[in-house]
């Protein structure tokens, strides 16, 4: 529904602006044609990679008299061996290992001693443990699955509303990619030639602002409706003893994020160290078996391949489009529009929100960035800032009903069964706050840009 | 005749899928090796002042290898991503044709990838090209391995496509749906749970 409404708005805006600013020119017509065919492919359920690649080939045949397809080999070899992209399988591997090594159990128990007393109790623990786990894992699904598997049994004996429990876990999971290190930033950095390290620095404050806003939602909810209070007294010595349980996590964060922020290691190197750290941690936890490593390796390879194929096909399309100079033409046209920059940015944000209700995050950025990014630059926005915004939009996609993997992972973990609509209802306030967060970063871009500027 | 061909194709595809699984495992373990190699390189550089001087190149080749060699298994396990909101709502009779169309597009893409990937490898061979790392790796080696992975993927798409066409001509739609039907969100969720379950089961 959102999609249809949004497309209508977009159509009207385009119609009005073309009337105001003169008729469409050659390259724009071509771009409209390309987009039209693309939408057709999508509706037909073509594999995202095949849709991108074949569209690139077709556009090359139809719109250029040069044999562009002869260069595909080089075009796909270059991203295949990109050192920055190597970080993707390594972060995936790290997440897979941690998921199987049981790190989250101790993390959750320890944090609960600290946050259990606040109004909203365990719900805060959900958000905080997800946020902390996000600082070592680069994926939202891994974060939600890892913390969810530990948290849900805790709620078994309590009277917390299952909607709120599931909603807070989904929201916490959706911090997975935003709080560095995240895989989305690597892919964004690759496509837009932006420094991944800088993106990680920029996402630091927004990540914790979002976690804070989520806790605020819980606080308001708890004060309004009331939540069960933990009766037992927790002594301060127990609290400080619990810090020991946070050690492995703290060490991993230091190894991965610390080395990136200190400028000692590139994201790829930090990811490799993270894998090493996870292996050592799993060994200490007596979980390091051949089976665990094998299952993690296998799953990593599969996910890397499916992301890789989309990236390679995306590069083919990107190559053809830029040979035809289409994105540049579009960027030029948008600049001439009678709309203010923030108006166009709002349209772009609306476009991603609509897309996110039915499309998966990676495909979303790889398909759209080659065209959207030049426009964003032409409007004068900072590429680092936009990287953070687009990652937030992808995270919103992960938890916006009806189509978000994170929500289905949590639904599958429920101990007492219930309808999926519980998750939908529970996550809604958090989705709205997430969108408010995007607007907040738009109005105050310094939340994103301050830290990279200071650390330069 | 068609049935006999179908049996043959099924066997060929099963063989290809097995090869794909082994290739995927190889790719996965290479990533483990890659992580250890990069870690070792970073630590050696910091503490011993030595480095392989070829980390960037070698890990890049590992990535290219990994992407290419995992493609088959991702297709077998129906992991490659499609936008299936509309397709899922179609009646089976139409849905199977959408599957066939999607697969044929994938085969076309794979064909261009294979053709041009081998051209790149061949060119490196002809010009005896080496990378600029300390090891001076002849580029044809990683490029040929990469092209080999894409080739296996292309062969699998073609085998599956022929099989689907025969199945459709025999009216066996359910089989096509089982082979190519998109993974449901439930299946994806189950997979994540299974992984998390390993730790839960072993932990308590």
């Amino acid at each position: 529904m959102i999609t249809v409404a949004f497309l209508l708005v977009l159509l009207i805006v385009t119609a009005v602006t073309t009337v105001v600013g003169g008729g469409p020119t050659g390259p724009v017509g071509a771009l409209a044609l390309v987009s039209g065919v693309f939408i057709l492919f999508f509706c037909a359920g073509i594999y995202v990679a095949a849709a991108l690649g074949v569209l690139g080939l077709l556009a090359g045949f139809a719109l250029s008299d040069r044999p562009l397809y002869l260069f595909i080999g080089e075009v796909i070899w270059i991203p295949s061996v990109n050192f920055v992209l190597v970080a993707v399988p390594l972060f995936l591997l790290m997440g897979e290992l941690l998921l199987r090594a049981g790190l989250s159990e101790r993390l959750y128990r320890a944090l609960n001693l600290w946050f259990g007393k606040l109004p909203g109790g365990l719900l805060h623990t959900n958000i905080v443990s997800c946020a902390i786990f996000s600082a070592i894992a680069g994926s939202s699904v891994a974060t939600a699955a890892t913390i969810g598997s530990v948290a849900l049994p805790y709620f078994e004996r309590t009277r917390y509303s299952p909607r709120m429990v599931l909603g807070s876990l989904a929201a916490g999971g959706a911090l997975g990619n935003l709080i560095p290190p995240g895989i989305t930033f690597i892919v964004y950095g690759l496509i837009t030639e932006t420094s991944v390290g800088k993106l990680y620095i920029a996402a630091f404050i927004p990540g914790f602002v979002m976690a804070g806003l989520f806790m605020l939602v819980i606080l308001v909810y708890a004060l309004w409706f009331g939540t069960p209070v933990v009766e037992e007294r927790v002594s301060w010595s127990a609290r400080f003893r619990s810090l020991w349980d946070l050690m492995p996590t703290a060490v991993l964060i230091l190894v991965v994020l610390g080395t990136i922020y200190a400028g000692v290691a590139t994201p790829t190197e930090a990811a490799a160290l993270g894998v090493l750290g996870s292996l050592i941690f799993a060994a200490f936890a007596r979980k390091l078996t051949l089976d665990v490593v094998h299952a993690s390796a296998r799953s990593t390879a599969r996910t890397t391949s499916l992301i890789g194929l989309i990236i390679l096909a995306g590069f083919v399309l990107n190559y053809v489009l830029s040979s035809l100079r289409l994105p540049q033409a579009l960027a030029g046209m948008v600049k001439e529009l009678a709309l203010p920059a923030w108006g166009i940015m709002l349209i772009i944000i609306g476009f991603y929100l609509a897309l996110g209700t039915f499309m998966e995050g990676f495909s979303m950025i790889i398909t759209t960035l080659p065209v959207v990014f030049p426009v964003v630059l032409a409007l004068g926005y900072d590429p680092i800032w936009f990287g953070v915004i687009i990652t937030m939009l992808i995270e919103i996609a992960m938890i916006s009903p009806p189509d978000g993997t994170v929500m289905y992972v949590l639904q599958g973990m429920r101990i007492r069964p219930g309808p999926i609509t519980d998750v939908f209802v529970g996550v809604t306030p958090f989705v709205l706050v997430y969108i408010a967060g995007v607007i907040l970063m738009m109005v105050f871009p310094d939340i994103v840009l301050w830290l990279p500027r200071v650390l330069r | 005749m068609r049935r006999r061909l179908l049996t043959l194709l099924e066997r060929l595809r099963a063989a290809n899928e097995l090869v794909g699984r082994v290739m995927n495992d190889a790719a996965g373990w290479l990533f483990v090796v890659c992580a250890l190699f990069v870690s070792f390189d970073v630590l050696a550089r910091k503490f011993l002042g030595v480095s392989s001087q070829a980390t960037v190149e070698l890990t890049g080749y590992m990535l290219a290898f990994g992407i290419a060699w995992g493609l088959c298994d991702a297709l077998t396990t129906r992991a490659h991503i499609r936008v299936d909101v509309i397709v899922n709502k179609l009646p089976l009779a139409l849905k199977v044709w959408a599957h066939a169309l999607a697969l044929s597009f994938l085969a076309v893409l794979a064909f261009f990838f294979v053709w041009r990937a081998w051209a790149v490898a061949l060119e490196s061979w002809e010009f005896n090209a080496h990378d600029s790392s300390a090891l001076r790796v002849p580029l044809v080696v990683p490029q040929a391995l990469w092209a080999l992975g894409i080739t296996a993927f292309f062969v699998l798409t073609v085998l599956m496509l022929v099989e689907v066409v025969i199945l459709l001509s025999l009216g066996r739609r359910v089989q096509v749906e089982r082979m190519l039907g998109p993974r449901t969100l439930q299946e994806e969720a189950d997979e994540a749970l299974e992984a998390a379950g390993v730790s839960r089961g072993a932990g308590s």
Side-chain angles (χ1 to χ4, degrees), chain B residues 104-126:
Chain B
S104 56
F105 268 63
L106 206 55
V108 170
L109 181 71
F111 167 74
F112 275 93
F113 275 15
V114 168
W115 176 33
R116 296 324 300 172
W118 281 112
V120 166
L122 211 62
E123 203 175 277
S124 299
W125 167 257
E126 275 168 8

Side-chain angles (χ1 to χ4, degrees), chain A residues 41-189:
Chain A
F41 282 180
F42 259 42
C43 294
I46 307 286
Y47 293 93
V48 172
L52 290 170
V54 173
L55 184 67
L57 289 167
L58 285 178
F61 284 128
L63 302 172
S64 169
D65 40 16
R66 281 180 296 156
L68 293 177
Y69 59 90
L70 287 179
F71 300 98
I72 291 180
E74 284 81 6
V75 168
I76 61 174
W77 172 252
I78 290 164
S80 290
V81 292
N82 187 301
F83 184 62
V84 176
L85 200 59
V86 175
V88 170
L90 299 186
F91 275 129
L92 286 171
L93 183 59
M94 183 183 171
E96 295 281 348
L97 286 168
L98 289 177
L99 181 61
R100 291 171 170 85
L103 173 94
S104 42
E105 185 99 41
R106 286 154 77 186
L107 174 70
Y108 194 85
R109 209 170 352 137
L111 287 175
N112 197 33
L113 296 178
W114 289 84
F115 292 94
K117 279 283 182 188
L118 288 174
L122 278 170
L123 298 175
H124 290 295
T125 313
N126 286 351
I127 300 290
V128 177
S129 44
C130 281
I132 291 184
F133 192 77
S134 298
I136 38 177
S139 130
S140 305
V141 173
T143 304
T146 313
I147 302 299
S149 67
V150 184
L152 286 170
Y154 261 82
F155 286 97
E156 253 321 84
R157 295 175 299 273
T158 64
R159 289 180 290 107
Y160 282 91
S161 142
R163 290 180 173 175
M164 216 44 200
V165 173
L166 293 163
S168 61
L169 283 170
L175 295 171
N177 249 316
L178 178 63
I179 295 181
I183 296 171
T184 317
F185 287 120
I186 302 171
V187 177
Y188 178 88

Side-chain angles (χ1 to χ4, degrees), chain A residues 45 48 264 272 294 298 305 413, chain B residues 29 39 46 67 70 81-82 193:
Chain A
V48 172
V264 191
H294 188 69
R298 169 178 277 180
S305 279
M413 286 182 162
Chain B
W29 278 95
S39 304
K46 280 281 166 276
I67 293 177
I81 299 167
R82 299 165 68 181
L193 299 182

Side-chain angles (χ1 to χ4, degrees), chain A residues 62-360:
Chain A
L63 302 172
S64 169
D65 40 16
R66 281 180 296 156
L68 293 177
Y69 59 90
L70 287 179
F71 300 98
I72 291 180
E74 284 81 6
V75 168
I76 61 174
W77 172 252
I78 290 164
S80 290
V81 292
N82 187 301
F83 184 62
V84 176
L85 200 59
V86 175
V88 170
L90 299 186
F91 275 129
L92 286 171
L93 183 59
M94 183 183 171
E96 295 281 348
L97 286 168
L98 289 177
L99 181 61
R100 291 171 170 85
L103 173 94
S104 42
E105 185 99 41
R106 286 154 77 186
L107 174 70
Y108 194 85
R109 209 170 352 137
L111 287 175
N112 197 33
L113 296 178
W114 289 84
F115 292 94
K117 279 283 182 188
L118 288 174
L122 278 170
L123 298 175
H124 290 295
T125 313
N126 286 351
I127 300 290
V128 177
S129 44
C130 281
I132 291 184
F133 192 77
S134 298
I136 38 177
S139 130
S140 305
V141 173
T143 304
T146 313
I147 302 299
S149 67
V150 184
L152 286 170
Y154 261 82
F155 286 97
E156 253 321 84
R157 295 175 299 273
T158 64
R159 289 180 290 107
Y160 282 91
S161 142
R163 290 180 173 175
M164 216 44 200
V165 173
L166 293 163
S168 61
L169 283 170
L175 295 171
N177 249 316
L178 178 63
I179 295 181
I183 296 171
T184 317
F185 287 120
I186 302 171
V187 177
Y188 178 88
L190 177 80
I191 298 177
T192 62
E193 291 172 9
T194 313
S195 148
V196 179
K198 269 193 189 156
L199 286 165
Y200 281 165
I201 292 171
F204 192 79
I205 296 177
F208 286 96
V209 167
M210 285 322 300
L213 287 177
F214 288 162
M215 290 176 77
L216 205 64
V217 171
I218 292 170
L219 202 65
V220 170
Y221 167 86
L223 294 175
W224 200 287
F225 296 101
T227 43
V229 190
V230 186
E231 294 300 336
E232 55 192 299
R233 289 185 62 85
V234 182
S235 69
W236 280 97
S237 71
R239 281 196 184 135
F240 281 107
R241 257 182 286 129
S242 79
L243 288 181
W244 179 247
D245 281 335
L246 294 177
M247 276 300 285
T249 320
V251 170
L252 276 178
I253 292 178
L254 204 69
V255 166
V256 177
L257 278 187
T259 50
I260 298 176
Y261 285 163
V264 191
T266 63
T268 307
E269 291 166 345
L273 291 173
V275 172
L276 185 66
S278 314
L279 285 170
I280 294 172
F281 171 77
F284 270 111
R286 294 171 192 278
K287 296 273 172 61
L288 188 64
T289 61
L290 204 59
D291 277 348
V292 164
V293 183
H294 188 69
S296 308
R298 169 178 277 180
S299 181
T300 301
R302 196 178 299 142
T303 314
T304 306
S305 279
L306 72 90
I307 296 174
L309 187 64
I310 298 177
I311 290 180
L312 299 189
F315 266 76
V316 170
L317 179 62
N318 195 3
Y319 166 73
V320 173
L321 290 185
S322 21
S323 300
L324 298 169
R325 302 198 54 78
L326 287 184
Q328 294 85 341
L330 180 73
M333 192 198 78
V334 170
K335 240 161 115 179
E336 313 275 296
L337 280 184
L339 277 173
W342 60 266
I344 298 171
M345 183 51 76
L346 273 184
I347 293 181
I348 292 175
I349 289 173
F351 168 71
Y352 279 109
L353 285 177
L355 218 55
T357 53
F358 65 92
M359 206 167 162
E360 179 272 344

